[in-house]
């Protein structure tokens, strides 16, 4: 694994190695192999979990962290991303985590950069969010042991969700029984290749589910009119305690990548009283999974 851009290009073996290494970091049994390496965080889009957990992961590994300030950098004077990253490499940066609103931009700039800096996709447009899928997978294994033949239901704005796409890519490698539930205008046709099942009705979707993953409606990515307004979306798709109790299994795991829109896709009451801690544990696992990602990518170039 040279870079982490898209789960599609990561083997099952590499995914399991990351998960096992994350477990070692979480238990405290594993020490860093990448002390004194330097990580730059370049976030063109806002973030709480991804940005902070990469920063904390790097700190725990003994790395130097640069929180690259885009607005005060020479990018604002017209310097290209390629030139910026090549300069960062010569200043001593070993890896860069990029979040951007343009799908595919990280792949494109990676092809242009001539020097061996490591790239990590921190979420690009509606394309991919590979570290999120890895931490979601880690959390599922922690909670239910395996995803093979488990009913995993992803509910919400699937077509605009890089989280959903990376999760579907990953879960299909491990033979999960993947179900999507979305209003028709939020569906994404190209999931057909992954043998996923579609539901319009949320009760049917969550029936017997082992994992229910709820997504945020990505209003900022909606170009066309005709998307449901919040009240309509809430009426049709909001997951609440009563719905889970009546239709899902008792031990269903509720997940949400965050940030959650309380009382739109998930009820505030459910977050505060029943499942909020699981979702916070999901975010917490992001630190250990991102430690594993950074250690794996940067250890390869370690001098011995
Ligand atoms: N799940 C996720 O990517 O959250 P942030 O946008 O806060 O990083």
């Amino acid at each position: 694994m040279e870079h982490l851009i898209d789960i599609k290009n990561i083997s099952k073996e590499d995914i399991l190695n990351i998960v096992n290494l994350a477990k070692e970091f979480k238990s405290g049994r594993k020490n860093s192999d990448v002390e004194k390496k330097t990580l730059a965080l370049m976030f063109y889009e806002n973030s709480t979990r991804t940005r902070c957990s990469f920063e904390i992961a790097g700190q725990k590994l003994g790395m130097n962290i640069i929180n690259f300030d885009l607005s005060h950098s020479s990018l604002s004077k017209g310097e290209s991303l390629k030139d910026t990253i090549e300069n960062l490499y010569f200043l001593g940066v070993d890896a860069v985590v990029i979040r951007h609103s343009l799908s595919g931009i990280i792949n494109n700039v990676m092809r242009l950069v001539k020097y061996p800096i490591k790239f990590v996709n921190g979420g690009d447009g509606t394309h991919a969010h590979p570290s999120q899928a890895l931490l979601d997978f880690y959390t599922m294994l922690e909670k239910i042991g395996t995803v093979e033949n488990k009913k995993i239901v992803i509910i919400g704005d699937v077509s605009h969700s890089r989280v959903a796409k990376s999760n579907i890519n990953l879960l299909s490698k491990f033979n999960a029984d993947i179900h999507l539930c979305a209003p028709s205008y939020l569906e994404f046709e190209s999931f057909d290749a992954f043998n996923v099942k579609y539901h319009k009705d949320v009760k049917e979707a969550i029936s017997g589910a082992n994992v229910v993953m709820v997504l945020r409606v990505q209003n900022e990515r909606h170009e066309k009119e005709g998307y449901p307004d919040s009240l309509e979306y809430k009426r049709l798709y909001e997951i609440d305690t009563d719905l889970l109790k009546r239709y899902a299994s008792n031990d269903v795991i509720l997940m949400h990548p965050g940030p959650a829109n309380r009382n739109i896709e998930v009820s505030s009451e459910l977050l505060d009283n029943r499942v909020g801690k699981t979702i916070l544990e999901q975010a917490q696992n992001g630190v250990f999974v991102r430690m594993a990602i950074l250690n794996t990518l940067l250890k390869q170039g370690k001098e011995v």
Side-chain angles (χ1 to χ4, degrees):
M1 197 175 103
E2 284 293 308
H3 306 278
L4 181 64
I5 305 296
D6 192 341
I7 287 292
K8 207 163 53 183
N9 306 321
I10 307 292
S11 68
K12 273 178 79 171
E13 189 188 358
D14 280 340
I15 291 170
L16 290 173
N17 285 340
I18 298 262
V19 163
N20 290 332
L21 189 56
K23 206 166 161 183
E24 295 285 298
F25 279 127
K26 190 170 182 178
S27 70
R29 288 192 295 265
K30 170 80 184 138
N31 293 323
S32 172
D33 297 310
V34 295
E35 278 172 345
K36 306 276 186 252
K37 296 269 182 183
T38 300
L39 175 69
L41 304 174
M42 301 181 82
F43 277 64
Y44 287 80
E45 265 190 357
N46 293 340
S47 166
T48 296
R49 281 146 288 266
T50 310
R51 182 178 190 132
C52 294
S53 60
F54 266 116
E55 182 163 358
I56 293 166
Q59 287 167 351
K60 282 178 178 281
L61 291 168
M63 299 178 73
N64 306 310
I65 314 292
I66 296 173
N67 258 304
F68 192 77
D69 181 354
L70 300 164
S71 62
H72 291 94
S73 75
S74 290
L75 284 161
S76 65
K77 292 186 264 182
E79 187 169 32
S80 72
L81 189 52
K82 164 192 149 58
D83 288 340
T84 303
I85 290 172
E86 289 188 343
N87 275 274
L88 288 177
Y89 177 73
F90 274 80
L91 295 177
V93 172
D94 300 290
V96 61
V97 180
I98 304 175
R99 169 169 288 193
H100 206 290
S101 59
L102 289 179
S103 302
I105 190 169
I106 301 160
N107 233 335
N108 293 344
V109 77
M110 190 180 76
R111 288 200 195 101
L112 296 173
V113 168
K114 293 195 178 69
Y115 302 98
I117 191 166
K118 301 291 183 184
F119 284 85
V120 178
N121 182 353
D124 62 329
T126 61
H127 170 234
H129 196 348
S131 64
Q132 180 71 43
L134 287 165
L135 78 88
D136 290 341
F137 183 52
Y138 180 96
T139 305
M140 286 180 214
L141 296 186
E142 199 173 58
K143 297 282 177 196
I144 59 174
T146 177
V147 298
E148 192 171 348
N149 297 321
K150 300 285 183 179
K151 183 173 180 181
I152 317 261
V153 187
I154 303 177
I155 300 178
D157 191 357
V158 174
S159 62
H160 293 95
S161 173
R162 55 197 178 204
V163 174
K165 285 167 200 160
S166 288
N167 264 290
I168 292 165
N169 264 299
L170 190 155
L171 292 168
S172 66
K173 290 179 197 275
F174 291 89
N175 300 320
D177 179 20
I178 306 168
H179 295 247
L180 305 181
C181 179
S184 57
Y185 31 80
L186 298 181
E187 274 176 16
F188 189 74
E189 295 90 19
S190 58
F191 289 131
D192 290 348
F194 294 100
N195 194 26
V196 301
K197 290 128 195 148
Y198 296 103
H199 304 269
K200 296 278 186 301
D201 181 55
V202 76
K203 300 178 187 100
E204 175 193 294
I206 67 173
S207 171
N210 300 99
V211 175
V212 171
M213 183 183 294
V214 183
L215 303 173
R216 180 175 69 86
V217 177
Q218 313 250 313
N219 291 312
E220 72 276 22
R221 300 192 208 283
H222 293 175
E223 288 160 14
K224 293 178 288 183
E225 288 184 11
Y227 287 92
D229 65 32
S230 296
L231 285 179
E232 179 69 354
Y233 189 88
K234 175 182 168 69
R235 187 178 69 77
L236 292 171
Y237 293 99
E238 184 187 27
I239 303 297
D240 62 20
T241 304
D242 183 53
L243 202 66
L244 277 190
K245 204 185 286 176
R246 283 169 63 193
Y247 296 98
S249 59
N250 285 339
D251 52 359
V252 66
I253 307 299
L254 189 83
M255 298 178 72
H256 194 309
N261 290 316
R262 284 175 176 262
N263 299 321
I264 302 294
E265 73 266 7
V266 61
S267 77
S268 216
E269 190 272 329
L270 183 60
L271 281 178
D272 287 335
N273 295 329
R274 179 159 167 208
V275 297
K277 185 151 177 285
T278 308
I279 292 171
L280 292 172
E281 284 167 354
Q282 191 184 343
Q284 183 187 48
N285 285 334
V287 172
F288 304 108
V289 169
R290 287 167 175 136
M291 286 175 80
I293 292 166
L294 295 172
N295 200 80
T296 301
L297 291 178
L298 290 168
K299 188 187 172 185
Q300 289 164 354
K302 193 185 175 201
E303 289 171 23
V304 289

